Amino acid sequence: LNLLEKIDHVGVAVKDLEKALSFYRDFLGLEFKGFEEIEEQKVRVAFFPVGESKIELLETTDPEGPVGKFIEKKGEGVHHISFRVSDIEGKLRLLKEQGVALIDEKPRYGAGGAKIAFIHPRQTGGVLVELCER
Ligand code: ZN
């Protein structure tokens, strides 16, 4: 039983999006795909495709937002790992039936119109795991 198709993206919390993106673009040579602001999660996001996956830089638009609180507690760094799935509702149901601690029992909308849901880090050795359906 393999619920996951591939790593969709790695989310990185940064304090200064312009500064962080210039490192990925100018020093690592990645192609900058533009910004997106996600009101619901109080973040501004920059994407860089890397092979079949992406790096997603996340800057908070509100110190009280989830990424703002993350940076306050842990500093900048890897915020979440996102795995591509199909039928995200079905996968969440299956995990819930098995007693897996979920942050989201129902998907919400993330960047690029993807459906996303988070698994609780206490379930995953401290890693915030996102499921993502595109
Ligand atoms: Zn994500």
Side-chain angles (χ1 to χ4, degrees):
L1 179 73
N2 186 356
L3 303 187
L4 312 175
E5 292 171 10
K6 65 176 186 179
I7 293 180
D8 187 88
H9 61 271
V10 175
V12 179
V14 301
K15 284 182 184 163
D16 181 337
L17 194 54
E18 269 71 19
K19 194 174 141 202
L21 91 82
S22 102
F23 171 72
Y24 285 91
R25 184 189 57 202
D26 303 335
F27 292 93
L28 300 182
L30 298 179
E31 187 192 354
F32 173 50
K33 285 295 208 179
F35 295 111
E36 188 175 340
E37 188 157 337
I38 303 155
E39 189 65 44
E40 194 196 320
Q41 293 176 60
K42 301 189 183 348
V43 285
R44 197 158 68 105
V45 179
F47 298 99
F48 295 93
V50 185
E52 291 202 331
S53 303
K54 287 195 271 306
I55 297 286
E56 179 183 272
L57 302 179
L58 303 155
E59 177 190 66
T60 194
T61 56
D62 178 344
E64 293 302 308
V67 170
K69 285 185 180 156
F70 175 90
I71 288 178
E72 193 186 300
K73 260 207 314 216
K74 299 190 172 176
E76 295 180 292
V78 172
H79 177 263
H80 65 273
I81 297 176
S82 178
F83 293 100
R84 178 82 62 89
V85 298
S86 55
D87 181 23
I88 192 169
E89 286 90 352
K91 300 296 188 307
L92 289 169
R93 224 177 299 123
L94 193 65
L95 291 170
K96 194 185 168 196
E97 278 166 18
Q98 296 172 94
V100 172
L102 302 173
I103 292 176
D104 301 304
E105 292 188 3
K106 293 213 167 78
R108 42 181 152 151
Y109 284 94
K115 287 191 210 171
I116 61 165
F118 289 101
I119 299 175
H120 202 285
R122 73 165 180 264
Q123 194 74 57
T124 60
V127 177
L128 182 57
V129 170
E130 179 185 290
L131 304 180
C132 170
E133 179 179 354
R134 291 190 189 274

